[in-house]
Amino acid sequence: MVSSGQLSPAPLGTAATAPAEIDTVALGDLASDPRWRRPVLLGKDLLVLTTGGHGTAELDFRALPCRPGTLLRVRAGQVLRCAGPQLDATVVRWEAAALRGVDVDPDAIPARIQLAGEDEDAVITEVSQLVVDCQRHQGVAAARGLLRHQLAVLLLRLSLLPGCDHRATRAEAATFHRLCREVERGYQHTRRVEDYAARLDCSVRTLTRACLAVTGRSAKQVVDERVALQASRLLAATDEPIARIGRRLGFSEPTNFGRFFTREVGVSPGVFRAAREQPVPGPVVRPRPPADATGRPRGA
């Protein structure tokens, strides 16, 4: 079996000097603060393969234990915080355009996989080759297809691992997935289920039935949880004023945003922000993560 510790990340600064749709970096390159005192709001999709050490990663305010062979699937827009010096990991990251036209569903991969045996060997081999080729061919137009196919193969391999959920084919799950995609496009502008029903050309009752079947929660709860999660990300990972965050999420008055956030999360926006620099993995005040189309909470 190949040792996880043999994997070598890309040199520091590689991605900064040569921005690309697919690249590899070390875990420490993701945060400007080596102590990870606050979460990092991520602009790209990631795979994080732990190669050494033991610690905890906090993904969207949910603690995930990490050791050699642990692989995390992180979506663009999520917030990540790690116990920096305690973990070594290689990060594969990509822009959404890198998978355009490729028959692979990265959302079929759960937030955390503990690799072992032949599966671990195969994934390490795939990641190792991506690291090498990103270093050798970054910026070479002819190599773009190579890197895209390597990423697709890696994601397909991960999606076929035992325990990885595949999207349900039930009508309720399909409707729920359509709602989730529409909410992603519109949650900054409306929290009304009626608006989403109109966009999807169905009834509020249909959306509510689908959400209850997949998650056990109403359509209104699903929408509000997504807004609360985004508010939590911005409060924890940025210094943007609370009132401005509220306006970005469609609240015309700071008091309305404050009441909404307190109802959803259990504490005020100010209290939540003040707690953002607490050590990982201490007790975390967190919103309930919205479920994905399989009914599994994102980050679970």
Side-chain angles (χ1 to χ4, degrees):
M1 176 174 164
V2 179
S3 169
S4 299
Q6 293 178 354
L7 191 58
S8 298
L12 299 182
T14 298
T17 57
E21 64 175 14
I22 302 171
D23 67 349
T24 60
V25 295
L27 178 63
D29 293 346
L30 296 179
S32 57
D33 176 7
R35 295 179 58 190
W36 291 77
R37 282 173 291 192
R38 69 168 69 173
V40 175
L41 185 62
L42 297 162
K44 293 185 178 182
D45 287 276
L46 309 179
L47 292 174
V48 181
L49 178 61
T50 303
T51 57
H54 291 70
T56 301
E58 186 185 298
L59 180 59
D60 269 351
F61 316 104
R62 184 175 297 273
L64 301 174
C66 296
R67 59 185 174 87
T70 300
L71 185 136
L72 304 180
R73 163 72 174 102
V74 184
R75 296 172 176 84
Q78 290 187 302
V79 290
L80 177 69
R81 183 165 60 166
C82 299
Q86 300 174 3
L87 287 176
D88 292 318
T90 296
V91 179
V92 178
R93 60 184 180 182
W94 67 93
E95 302 277 4
L99 295 177
R100 190 170 298 146
V102 179
D103 186 17
V104 60
D105 180 10
D107 289 336
I109 303 167
R112 181 186 181 277
I113 301 173
Q114 184 58 51
L115 300 167
E118 294 180 354
D119 292 329
E120 182 177 8
D121 291 347
V123 170
I124 288 174
T125 298
E126 301 281 3
V127 173
S128 298
Q129 192 62 53
L130 258 174
V131 170
V132 170
D133 287 335
C134 280
Q135 291 181 28
R136 293 179 60 194
H137 305 304
Q138 202 60 265
V140 179
R144 180 177 298 177
L146 171 66
L147 298 178
R148 286 181 172 182
H149 280 85
Q150 287 176 331
L151 175 61
V153 168
L154 174 59
L155 293 172
L156 285 169
R157 186 180 297 281
L158 291 169
S159 70
L160 293 173
L161 292 177
C164 289
D165 293 329
H166 299 277
R167 297 204 182 282
T169 57
R170 295 177 298 125
E172 295 93 342
T175 299
F176 176 75
H177 183 40
R178 290 175 62 215
L179 172 63
C180 287
R181 286 186 295 183
E182 198 61 43
V183 169
E184 286 300 312
R185 287 191 285 263
Y187 69 85
Q188 296 184 6
H189 309 292
T190 180
R191 300 189 307 281
R192 286 168 37 89
V193 179
E194 292 84 355
D195 293 338
Y196 292 108
R199 294 176 186 180
L200 296 171
D201 195 23
C202 65
S203 67
V204 170
R205 189 174 183 179
T206 296
L207 292 183
T208 296
R209 184 167 58 245
C211 290
L212 288 172
V214 175
T215 71
R217 303 193 293 281
S218 70
K220 178 60 173 170
Q221 287 174 311
V222 168
V223 174
D224 284 348
E225 285 165 6
R226 179 62 184 91
V227 176
L229 176 60
Q230 190 64 22
S232 300
R233 290 170 173 172
L234 296 172
L235 288 166
T238 76
D239 293 319
E240 190 169 354
I242 292 174
R244 186 182 300 167
I245 290 173
R247 287 195 298 272
R248 283 182 59 179
L249 297 176
F251 294 89
S252 58
E253 297 293 334
T255 53
N256 293 339
F257 174 59
R259 283 196 295 266
F260 168 85
F261 189 87
T262 301
R263 186 187 75 225
E264 291 295 315
V265 179
V267 298
S268 70
V271 170
F272 186 90
R273 169 164 276 177
R276 68 183 176 180
E277 294 188 0
Q278 63 190 348
V280 178
V284 179
V285 178
R286 62 175 182 252
R288 176 169 41 178
D292 63 17
T294 67
R296 181 180 63 243
R298 293 195 186 280

